[in-house]
C-alpha cells in the first residue's frame, strides 16, 4: 500500500522542482545559522545564491562523521536547544558518539516516513507490530514506534532481547509483524526451534521489516523460510534521520525506494569524490532537505551502493537502491586484497549444512595478515565423520579463494557457539587493531 500517493508517486519533473526549492531553503538555513557550515562554504567559494539548480549541489562541501565529532554534541544544530524535543546518538566503534536532534516537526516527518516504510511492507491498521528494535539512544526503536502508531497499527514496544519472552508475547498477542535486525530475527528463529514453536501453526506472523545492518539475499531466504514470512529490507542512518530513509516495497522486493522528497542521494567515487557514471556503485551521500534541527549537507555515509532509476511496478516514482554491499570502513584489507564481510556471507550461505552464524577473525602473524572464518554447521553435520567436516571446510576455503582471491582458514564450529545478536551483529574481529 502507498501511504502518501501525492508524494510517493509524484512525477519526476515535479519532484525535482520540489527538491530544488527545499534544497535552497536548507542551504540558506545552515549558512545563516551554523558557523561551521558557513565557514566550509566560504572555503569552497560557494554561497546559497549559487544554488540555482540541482546540479549545483555538487558545489557544496561534503560533511563527514569527523565533522559531527568536532562539533560534539550540539554544534551543528540549526535551532536553539529549547526547540529540540528529542536527541539520539550512535556510538560507532571509535571516539565520541554522534548526536542528532529533532524538532517537533522533525518528529512528525520521521513518523510519516516510517509510516510510508511500514505501509510499503504491507503493514496496515489492525496489524500487531512487535517492535524488537532497541529503544533508547539508537534510532531504531523509537523511530519505528512513532511510524507504526501514526499508521494506526497496534504497537508492542518490546525492544530487543529477552528472546523467550519475545516468542511468548508473539504467540499470546498474535503479533503479525516483526521489526528487528535481520540477525536478531534469525536468533529468534533458533530459539523458536529449541522451544518447539512452529511459526506456521503457532504464530500469526506475516511480515518482517528488517534493517540496521547488512544482510544478503541468501539470508533473506533463510529468514523467510524459517519464520514463514515475507522479509522486507529497510535502510536508514542516524545522521540522516534514522530508519525511514529508504524502504523496499512488498510488490517488488527489489531495491529500496529512497524518500527523495526529503533526502537527495548521490553516489560518488570514495577516493576522488567525483560523481560516478549512472548506475555505477560508489559511496552513498545524502543531503536532507526538510529537516529543521539537524540538516546535513552531502553527508558521506561510507555505505557502498548504486542507484536504480528504472520505474518500479509498485508505482512509486522514487529511485531505488539495491542492498548495501558493504561499507568503505568495514572493508578488510587482507594481504592487499579488499574483502567485504558480505562477500564471505554470500559464499557461506550458498553451502548446504552451513548455518547463518559466522564471524571473521583477522590477525597478523609477523608481517602476514591472517583471516579465519568461523562458521557454525548444523547438528547433523557437526556429528558427522571428521573427514566429512574436513572436506566441507576445504570446500568453503576454496569457494572463498575463488570468489575473493584470498586464502583463509575455516573453522567449523558447534551449533550455538557463536555469540547471538540482539541488535546489530558483530561479524568481524580485527585483532590487528588491538
Ligand atoms: O541503523 C537506523 C536503522 C534502524 C535502519 C532500524 C533500519 C532499521 P545507525 O545506527 O546510525 O542507524 O546505523 C546506520 O547501518 O550507515 C548502514 O551501514 C547500516 N544499515 C542500516 N540499514 C541497513 C540495511 C540505523 N538495510 C548504518 N542494509 C548505515 C545494510 C544498513 N546496512
Amino acid at each position: 500500500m502507498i501511504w502518501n500517493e501525492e508524494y510517493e508517486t509524484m512525477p519526476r519533473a515535479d519532484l525535482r522542482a520540489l527538491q530544488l526549492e527545499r534544497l535552497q531553503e536548507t542551504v540558506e538555513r545552515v549558512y545563516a545559522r551554523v558557523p561551521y557550515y558557513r565557514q566550509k562554504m566560504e572555503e569552497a567559494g560557494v554561497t546559497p545564491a549559487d544554488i540555482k539548480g540541482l546540479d549545483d549541489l555538487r558545489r557544496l562541501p561534503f560533511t563527514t562523521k569527523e565533522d559531527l565529532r568536532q562539533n560534539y554534541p550540539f554544534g551543528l544544530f540549526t535551532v536553539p536547544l529549547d526547540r529540540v524535543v528529542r536527541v539520539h546518538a550512535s556510538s560507532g566503534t571509535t571516539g565520541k558518539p554522534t548526536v542528532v536532534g529533532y524538532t517537533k516537526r522533525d518528529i512528525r516527518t520521521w513518523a510519516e516516513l516510517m509510516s510510508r516504510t511500514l505501509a510499503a511492507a504491507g503493514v496496515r491498521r489492525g496489524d500487531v507490530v512487535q517492535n524488537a528494535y532497541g529503544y533508547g539512544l539508537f534510532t531504531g526503536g523509537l523511530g519505528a514506534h512513532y511510524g507504526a502508531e501514526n499508521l494506526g497499527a497496534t504497537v508492542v514496544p518490546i525492544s530487543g532481547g529477552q528472546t523467550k519472552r519475545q516468542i511468548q508475547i508473539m504467540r499470546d498477542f498474535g503479533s503479525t509483524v516483526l521489526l528487528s535486525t535481520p540477525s536478531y530475527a534469525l536468533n529468534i528463529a533458533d530459539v523458536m526451534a529449541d522451544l518447539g514453536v512452529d511459526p506456521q501453526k503457532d504464530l500469526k506472523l506475516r511480515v518482517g521489516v528488517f534493517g540496521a545492518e547488512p544482510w544478503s539475499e541468501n539470508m533473506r531466504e533463510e529468514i523467510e523460510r524459517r519464520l514463514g514470512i515475507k522479509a522486507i529490507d529497510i535502510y536508514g542512518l542516524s545522521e540522516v534521520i534514522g530508519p525511514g530513509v529508504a524502504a523496499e516495497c512488498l510488490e517488488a522486493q527489489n531495491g529500496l525506494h529512497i524518500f527523495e522528497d526529503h533526502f537527495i542521494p548521490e553516489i560518488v567515487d570514495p577516493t576522488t569524490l567525483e560523481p560516478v557514471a549512472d548506475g555505477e556503485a560508489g559511496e552513498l551521500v545524502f543531503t536532507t532537505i526538510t529537516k529543521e534541527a539537524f540538516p546535513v549537507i552531502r553527508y558521506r555515509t561510507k555505505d557502498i551502493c548504486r542507484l536504480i532509476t528504472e520505474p518500479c511496478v509498485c508505482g512509486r516514482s522514487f529511485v531505488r537502491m539495491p542492498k548495501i554491499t558493504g561499507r568503505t570502513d568495514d572493508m578488510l584489507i587482507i594481504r592487499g586484497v579488499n574483502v567485504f564481510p558480505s562477500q564471505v556471507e554470500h559464499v557461506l550461505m550458498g553451502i548446504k549444512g552451513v548455518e547463518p552464524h559466522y564471524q571473521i577473525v583477522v590477525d597478523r602473524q609477523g608481517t602476514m595478515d591472517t583471516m579465519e572464518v568461523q562458521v557454525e554447521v548444523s547438528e547433523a553435520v557437526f556429528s558427522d565423520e571428521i573427514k566429512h567436516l574436513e572436506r566441507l571446510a576445504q570446500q568453503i576455503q576454496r569457494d572463498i579463494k575463488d570468489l575473493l582471491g584470498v586464502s583463509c582458514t575455516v573453522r567449523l564450529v558447534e551449533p550455538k557457539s557463536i555469540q547471538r545478536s540482539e541488535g546489530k551483529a558483530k561479524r568481524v574481529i580485527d585483532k590487528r587493531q588491538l
Side-chain angles (χ1 to χ4, degrees):
M1 189 200 107
I2 297 183
W3 178 254
N4 189 332
E5 287 273 349
E6 182 188 352
Y7 286 93
E8 293 183 75
T9 62
M10 188 177 259
R12 298 285 310 168
D14 297 353
L15 182 61
R16 288 178 70 79
L18 178 71
Q19 283 182 321
L20 178 59
E21 190 187 304
R22 291 179 164 181
L23 173 67
Q24 286 168 332
E25 275 168 24
T26 300
V27 174
E28 268 165 28
R29 176 183 188 88
V30 299
Y31 189 82
R33 301 196 190 178
V34 185
Y36 192 80
Y37 275 119
R38 178 189 284 254
Q39 191 194 333
K40 280 187 69 168
M41 284 173 60
E42 276 167 1
E43 280 164 17
V46 53
T47 66
D50 294 323
I51 309 301
K52 298 196 177 74
L54 284 177
D55 286 346
D56 295 321
L57 181 61
R58 283 186 208 163
R59 302 179 59 179
L60 294 166
F62 289 96
T63 308
T64 62
K65 203 163 188 104
E66 195 40 45
D67 294 318
L68 269 50
R69 291 220 168 99
Q70 278 182 26
N71 290 281
Y72 176 86
F74 305 140
L76 295 183
F77 287 9
T78 63
V79 295
L81 212 53
D82 68 3
R83 290 206 45 220
V84 174
V85 297
R86 171 106 62 85
V87 291
H88 281 282
S90 79
S91 51
T93 42
T94 49
K96 287 181 186 148
T98 48
V99 183
V100 298
Y102 305 77
T103 61
K104 277 191 180 166
R105 197 182 86 176
D106 292 333
I107 296 286
R108 276 200 301 276
T109 305
W110 195 11
E112 146 84 18
L113 295 177
M114 274 313 290
S115 296
R116 289 186 191 180
T117 295
L118 295 168
V123 181
R124 46 190 186 247
R125 198 186 190 116
D127 268 315
V128 178
V129 176
Q130 181 147 342
N131 186 11
Y133 284 117
Y135 281 68
L137 285 177
F138 175 54
T139 52
L142 283 166
H145 181 106
Y146 275 59
E149 268 187 11
N150 185 49
L151 183 104
T154 309
V155 187
V156 184
I158 189 163
S159 196
Q162 303 196 56
T163 311
K164 284 189 181 154
R165 186 155 167 260
Q166 296 268 358
I167 296 166
Q168 178 80 48
I169 286 193
M170 214 175 260
R171 195 179 205 166
D172 295 349
F173 295 8
S175 304
T176 51
V177 180
L178 173 65
L179 313 183
S180 75
T181 59
S183 59
Y184 189 48
L186 272 179
N187 184 351
I188 294 177
D190 279 354
V191 177
M192 273 182 194
D194 287 348
L195 298 173
V197 172
D198 176 353
Q200 306 283 11
K201 282 213 309 275
D202 305 325
L203 304 175
K204 294 201 179 134
L205 222 48
R206 186 182 83 239
V207 64
V209 184
F210 304 122
E213 64 184 2
W215 52 312
S216 59
E217 278 306 325
N218 290 334
M219 182 81 96
R220 185 201 315 255
E221 281 167 26
E222 177 95 14
I223 295 175
E224 292 195 329
R225 186 174 56 75
R226 292 185 52 193
L227 288 176
I229 57 173
K230 281 277 182 194
I232 296 292
D233 191 8
I234 66 167
Y235 169 87
L237 63 165
S238 324
E239 294 83 351
V240 171
I241 200 159
V245 175
E248 234 174 21
C249 57
L250 189 64
E251 293 91 323
Q253 271 187 309
N254 181 16
L256 292 74
H257 293 274
I258 299 174
F259 298 126
E260 288 179 278
D261 51 336
H262 294 270
F263 313 111
I264 304 181
E266 296 173 84
I267 306 281
V268 302
D269 179 316
T271 33
T272 64
L273 299 182
E274 290 299 322
V276 299
D278 284 351
E280 269 183 29
E283 181 175 345
L284 184 57
V285 169
F286 281 108
T287 300
T288 68
I289 50 174
T290 53
K291 269 172 74 197
E292 281 187 335
F294 187 74
V296 285
I297 304 289
R298 304 193 85 196
Y299 184 72
R300 292 184 57 188
T301 63
K302 297 193 173 167
D303 292 321
I304 300 164
C305 206
R306 61 190 175 85
L307 297 180
I308 307 172
T309 49
E310 287 86 53
C312 180
V313 290
C314 71
R316 287 177 183 78
S317 48
F318 300 144
V319 298
R320 283 172 287 161
M321 50 186 262
K323 275 188 173 299
I324 300 272
T325 50
R327 284 178 60 81
T328 54
D329 60 355
D330 59 42
M331 183 178 83
L332 295 162
I333 305 182
I334 312 286
R335 297 187 292 273
V337 181
N338 298 347
V339 173
F340 288 102
S342 58
Q343 297 173 300
V344 174
E345 178 176 310
H346 179 78
V347 171
L348 294 176
M349 299 293 100
I351 296 177
K352 214 168 156 257
V354 168
E355 296 287 305
H357 303 289
Y358 67 95
Q359 216 156 32
I360 303 166
V361 182
V362 184
D363 206 347
R364 184 166 286 147
Q365 275 172 2
T367 54
M368 271 287 265
D369 297 324
T370 59
M371 175 165 102
E372 179 175 85
V373 176
Q374 302 175 349
V375 60
E376 286 181 17
V377 288
S378 64
E379 204 75 63
V381 170
F382 198 72
S383 48
D384 210 346
E385 280 177 53
I386 194 87
K387 66 171 192 279
H388 289 152
L389 281 175
E390 275 166 8
R391 215 175 294 142
L392 182 60
Q394 279 162 5
Q395 184 197 343
I396 298 173
Q397 228 160 347
R398 238 186 351 256
D399 287 358
I400 290 179
K401 173 89 190 180
D402 286 350
L403 184 79
L404 296 136
V406 65
S407 345
C408 64
T409 52
V410 171
R411 192 142 71 88
L412 303 179
V413 299
E414 216 176 324
K416 304 202 172 56
S417 54
I418 288 176
Q419 198 184 349
R420 295 294 185 261
S421 95
E422 295 181 346
K424 301 190 190 225
K426 185 164 172 53
R427 303 293 192 193
V428 178
I429 301 175
D430 195 341
K431 296 185 173 164
R432 294 176 302 185
Q433 292 154 355
L434 299 177

